Amino acid sequence: MTPQSLLQLTSQKCTTGCPILDRLLYGGIPCDSITEIVAESGSGKTQICLQLSLHAQLPVSHGGLAASSLYLHTEFPFPFRRLHQLCLSFRSSNAHHFPVNDNPCDRIFVQSVHTADHLLEIMSKTDPFIENSKNQVPVRLIVIDSIAALFRSDFDNTPVELKRRSSLFFKISSKLKALAKRFNLAVLVTNQVVDLVGPNEGINGLRIGNLVCLHTSGRRVCPALGLAWANCVNSRLFLSRNEEVIREENEKSNGQSCDFVKKKMRKLYVVFAPHLPESSCEFEITREGLFGVER
Amino acid sequence: MEIWRLPISASQRGKLISAGYTSLSSLSSISSSDLARELTVSESEAMNILKVASHSRGSETSNASCSIVEGAQSAWDMLHDEESLMHITTSSADLDNILGGGIHCKEVTEIGWSSLSLIVNSVLKYKLTTAFGSESIIFMLIGGVPGIGKTQLGIQIAVNVQIPNDFGGLGGKAIYIDTEGSFMVERAFQIAEACIEDMSEYNRFLRKDFQECKIKMLPQDILENIFYFRICSYTEQIALINYLDKFLSEHKDVDMSLWSQVKVIVVDSVTFHFRQDFDDMALRTRVLSGMALKLMNLAKRFSLAVVLLNQVTTKHTEASFQLVLALGDSWSHTCTNRIVLYWNGNERYAYIDKSPSLRSASAAYSVTARGIRNSSSSCKRIKMM
């Protein structure tokens, strides 16, 4: 056992495809660590996952990992159409990196996962899979979308079951981290939210991370799977969406008048990360993908 | 008590013991005139006693110890040694205050750099360890929820232990055992840079000599002095801690100078790999206590501090939830010092949960781009005064 030289240890990052988001994340999603994205449904978690799987294929000089990705999805159906749409715009903006007949979708390996035990089984098979992929385009990104779906229904609310669930969290997380370290992978996991009822912040009055409380769609929420899972991830990002009524000035023929327009405000927050300060940025989702907005 | 063994008269022996000299080592650093005054004997008698003492000590150097029970040390000697322990500054002035001026080297605690006044205070309290060192070792558990700053504290400790002696630091190296993969090199570099900047700031403040302002240390040097180990399972963790004995003795032999030894071991976090399914809980407790014992032995043998970062979990008690350190009560009790990090409103606080020498107190701190620092609200309070 020899200590690793810190000067040679560089943490590689995978670009998200948007320079504004990359700036917020100090380069992108880091390798050799588990990043979790927490959001309610319809906030853009899957969009980020798909976008990252595509951008991981960019060469390292352009912020990618020059790698293919393994996409484990638990919610059905897998958004193939959206992936194709994103793929088209990705290809057109990065045409010079890929040969003409190449399809970036070929380098995204999709696998459906049904239960937590199934996930553990898959991960034991992932080792040789990633080894073999080294010959072509190596796998350097694993996406699990979403981890919460595996645990929300299988477990009763008794202490024994909850303990078993916690122990599964640590098992899965430790396997993922071992894989991440061995092959220098970036791991992205998505999680759902649960509503907070009551006067306290956080489940059981516990605050985790920079934000006092997570708000989305006008409700107070907190990430699913509790404190045990929060201990398993290295970084946590939160996507919120809110409907805002904005006053817009409109010039009309008979002078100025203003309209009240409903706008969807989407924000990305850093809840906790070992290398990131507390920060947030606004973003929007378009046909071409998910991009940060500078105000 | 070794004094019994000395070939001196019974009355002299009685006077020595009543004056508090119970071991040969306590007679080693006293002059004959002082001894004569304390024992109310003539100076020649005192010189005789000292000669006899040094003679019997000299003949016993081949033995491992000079006392009846191997390794035993009288409480007086321990107090003497403790008073001369080195203090490590903590980052936050408030934290330093509740920690009685800083952290004992043998006790692991949080280390960090803080406001200039704190640095000055710590330097004034700085003393060298005696040649015999202290036998009392303690190690510290720091627990907190995710995102409170445990890893930041760990990195700050690994950087601050390297502060040279001129600045009130220990000038030592660090071993960082990463079990979770939270250590980010760029963050460590940031903290190291900020630490060097603070040192040059202090230099300018105290020395006022612009020639000497430049600190020769570079952030790269600081990173080089952190021995970083990454482990992926609990068996690796135990194997590494077993290996550290060999690693530290090899390292000690190579570098004989006292001031560039490993002075702290940080384990981040010690609980992660033990929370998977251990079918036999008794086995887990045994493994954990074995590991704790090994770490304590390392701390004792190599005079270093051990900082263990711990996760927290909730405990169901009477239909309410309580935040407790993970891995159970028996694990919490193996450590003599415990600090719990928690949120209070919008501020981060550190609370001394258990310590044999310090009062229970809490202090606010903040995590900034430069590392662990005083919390900004406390700064405002100072300014208003």
Side-chain angles (χ1 to χ4, degrees):
Chain A
M1 279 182 196
T2 44
Q4 286 174 277
S5 163
L6 285 181
L7 297 174
Q8 273 139 33
L9 199 80
T10 43
S11 58
Q12 233 187 329
K13 303 240 173 55
C14 179
T15 174
T16 53
C18 164
I20 298 173
L21 291 180
D22 282 349
R23 214 175 314 141
L24 183 85
L25 298 173
Y26 283 28
I29 306 287
C31 288
D32 195 7
S33 123
I34 300 184
T35 309
E36 185 194 30
I37 298 189
V38 175
E40 69 165 330
S41 60
S43 303
K45 304 189 290 289
T46 307
Q47 305 303 308
I48 289 195
C49 294
L50 295 172
Q51 193 160 320
L52 208 71
S53 315
L54 287 169
H55 284 84
Q57 301 172 31
L58 287 174
V60 179
S61 51
H62 285 76
L65 301 174
S68 46
S69 36
L70 176 62
Y71 197 111
L72 303 170
H73 70 104
T74 59
E75 288 162 346
F76 305 94
F78 180 77
F80 284 108
R81 262 211 291 250
R82 178 59 171 158
L83 179 59
H84 278 290
Q85 200 178 41
L86 286 174
C87 190
L88 286 172
S89 74
F90 172 69
R91 274 217 62 189
S92 56
S93 45
N94 293 298
H96 43 284
H97 295 300
F98 300 102
V100 179
N101 287 334
D102 193 66
N103 187 0
C105 289
D106 285 340
R107 284 183 285 276
I108 302 181
F109 302 104
V110 179
Q111 165 76 51
S112 63
V113 187
H114 305 284
T115 63
D117 296 308
H118 189 202
L119 178 62
L120 283 171
E121 208 187 291
I122 289 175
M123 288 211 294
S124 54
K125 289 191 237 158
T126 312
D127 247 65
F129 175 71
I130 300 182
E131 268 301 333
N132 291 336
S133 76
K134 274 192 194 160
N135 305 327
Q136 304 110 36
V137 185
V139 172
R140 299 271 317 269
L141 172 69
I142 294 185
V143 178
I144 302 184
D145 178 20
S146 66
I147 190 102
L150 297 174
F151 293 96
R152 299 294 298 279
S153 50
D154 278 345
F155 297 85
D156 306 324
N157 213 7
T158 59
V160 173
E161 281 286 291
L162 287 177
K163 197 153 182 204
R164 186 168 79 89
R165 195 181 83 154
S166 293
S167 136
L168 268 175
F169 289 158
F170 284 96
K171 209 165 176 179
I172 290 174
S173 163
S174 136
K175 276 207 157 71
L176 279 173
K177 285 181 181 176
L179 274 174
K181 185 204 160 205
R182 191 165 151 208
F183 300 106
N184 203 10
L185 312 170
V187 181
L188 187 65
V189 172
T190 62
N191 196 5
Q192 295 162 356
V193 293
V194 287
D195 272 305
L196 261 187
V197 184
N200 299 323
E201 267 102 45
I203 281 189
N204 309 326
L206 199 63
R207 168 174 162 173
I208 295 176
N210 295 321
L211 304 181
V212 176
C213 199
L214 308 178
H215 289 271
T216 180
S217 298
R219 301 149 30 214
R220 283 189 319 160
V221 293
C222 79
L225 305 182
L227 180 58
W229 179 249
N231 277 316
C232 293
V233 298
N234 294 114
S235 325
R236 177 175 275 178
L237 307 171
F238 174 64
L239 306 177
S240 78
R241 72 162 194 207
N242 280 301
E243 294 237 324
E244 280 196 351
V245 177
I246 295 183
R247 206 179 134 130
E248 257 184 18
E249 303 280 337
N250 268 340
E251 288 236 8
K252 288 214 175 126
S253 49
N254 51 348
Q256 282 199 347
S257 69
C258 52
D259 283 335
F260 288 99
V261 176
K262 260 199 198 168
K263 242 188 160 164
K264 247 197 198 120
M265 163 82 110
R266 296 179 189 273
K267 274 185 118 169
L268 168 72
Y269 295 88
V270 173
V271 178
F272 64 80
H275 59 301
L276 302 173
E278 177 180 354
S279 47
S280 65
C281 96
E282 214 185 299
F283 67 92
E284 58 181 12
I285 305 182
T286 64
R287 173 190 294 205
E288 284 79 29
L290 199 138
F291 300 104
V293 171
E294 204 119 67
R295 285 254 180 262
Chain B
M1 289 187 287
E2 308 135 5
I3 302 292
W4 290 105
R5 291 203 197 147
L6 283 180
I8 48 178
S9 74
S11 63
Q12 283 175 342
R13 209 178 296 148
K15 281 185 182 165
L16 273 174
I17 291 170
S18 58
Y21 296 97
T22 50
S23 71
L24 288 177
S25 46
S26 53
L27 284 174
S28 62
S29 50
I30 193 158
S31 71
S32 55
S33 48
D34 287 332
L35 189 62
R37 195 182 51 237
E38 276 204 41
L39 300 181
T40 58
V41 295
S42 69
E43 185 149 350
S44 55
E45 261 196 72
M47 208 142 48
N48 213 18
I49 294 173
L50 284 177
K51 212 188 324 183
V52 167
S54 64
H55 179 73
S56 52
R57 194 173 48 245
S59 66
E60 281 183 355
T61 42
S62 50
N63 298 348
S65 76
C66 315
S67 47
I68 292 175
V69 179
E70 276 235 21
Q73 199 182 19
S74 69
W76 172 256
D77 290 334
M78 285 169 74
L79 177 62
H80 179 68
D81 290 333
E82 251 196 44
E83 279 172 349
S84 48
L85 270 180
M86 267 204 282
H87 285 260
I88 305 172
T89 85
T90 56
S91 296
S92 154
D94 301 333
L95 214 42
D96 237 34
N97 286 336
I98 65 172
L99 289 167
I103 298 160
H104 291 298
C105 181
K106 297 286 168 68
E107 301 200 23
V108 185
T109 52
E110 317 159 58
I111 302 176
W113 198 270
S114 76
S115 62
L116 225 42
S117 57
L118 177 65
I119 300 168
V120 174
N121 277 340
S122 313
V123 172
L124 293 175
K125 290 191 173 89
Y126 166 83
K127 288 173 205 157
L128 273 173
T129 52
T130 62
F132 293 98
S134 165
E135 293 291 342
S136 57
I137 53 105
I138 308 138
F139 66 72
M140 171 153 298
L141 218 51
I142 302 179
V145 293
I148 196 86
K150 298 190 295 296
T151 303
Q152 306 301 310
L153 217 43
I155 300 178
Q156 186 78 64
I157 289 175
V159 166
N160 273 48
V161 76
Q162 300 181 40
I163 294 174
N165 306 113
D166 307 335
F167 295 88
L170 288 179
K173 302 191 181 173
I175 289 181
Y176 196 99
I177 301 178
D178 187 6
T179 65
E180 290 184 328
S182 298
F183 186 91
M184 305 293 272
V185 189
E186 62 221 43
R187 179 61 175 153
F189 192 88
Q190 223 181 2
I191 292 181
E193 245 179 357
C195 182
I196 292 177
E197 276 171 23
D198 281 349
M199 284 200 286
S200 12
E201 185 70 45
Y202 172 61
N203 220 356
R204 237 171 290 146
F205 173 75
L206 202 63
R207 311 266 170 98
K208 296 185 171 66
D209 180 352
F210 294 116
Q211 247 71 7
E212 300 207 7
C213 271
K214 269 205 95 175
I215 308 286
K216 301 253 170 32
M217 271 176 115
L218 288 174
Q220 286 89 327
D221 302 328
I222 292 189
L223 288 186
E224 253 179 21
N225 286 334
I226 300 179
F227 297 109
Y228 174 77
F229 295 90
R230 172 90 161 89
I231 56 173
C232 295
S233 69
Y234 87 89
T235 43
E236 269 189 56
Q237 192 170 335
I238 309 231
L240 175 63
I241 291 179
N242 289 341
Y243 169 70
L244 278 182
D245 196 283
K246 181 158 171 263
F247 177 80
L248 284 168
S249 25
E250 275 175 6
H251 185 77
K252 195 171 175 175
D253 292 331
V254 164
D255 203 338
M256 283 313 290
S257 70
L258 194 60
W259 304 121
S260 61
Q261 310 266 347
V262 172
K263 294 274 168 67
V264 74
I265 297 179
V266 179
V267 185
D268 173 21
S269 63
V270 74
T271 51
F272 180 69
H273 291 293
F274 287 93
R275 295 182 73 182
Q276 297 177 30
D277 41 24
F278 258 84
D279 298 320
D280 184 5
M281 274 301 155
L283 171 67
R284 189 180 85 166
T285 314
R286 277 201 304 276
V287 169
L288 282 174
S289 36
M291 187 177 72
L293 212 62
K294 277 235 150 49
L295 284 169
M296 278 197 244
N297 282 336
L298 286 175
K300 197 165 177 162
R301 262 189 69 185
F302 299 98
S303 279
L304 40 81
V306 176
V307 188
L308 304 177
L309 302 176
N310 216 61
Q311 291 169 345
V312 291
T313 178
T314 48
K315 188 160 91 164
H316 302 235
T317 46
E318 305 150 354
S320 76
F321 293 93
Q322 202 195 353
L323 213 59
V324 292
L325 291 178
L327 297 185
D329 290 328
S330 50
W331 171 248
S332 308
H333 291 312
T334 46
C335 295
T336 48
N337 282 324
R338 282 203 300 269
I339 290 186
V340 175
L341 309 177
Y342 64 98
W343 283 102
N344 189 354
N346 233 358
E347 293 234 352
R348 292 173 156 94
Y349 273 79
Y351 170 67
I352 299 183
D353 189 27
K354 173 186 172 192
S355 165
S357 51
L358 298 163
R359 235 188 354 210
S360 281
S362 64
Y365 69 96
S366 67
V367 179
T368 67
R370 303 171 74 79
I372 304 282
R373 293 291 185 270
N374 265 346
S375 105
S376 45
S377 59
S378 66
C379 280
K380 282 188 201 142
R381 257 181 271 127
I382 293 167
K383 277 182 192 157
M384 285 198 291
M385 291 188 314

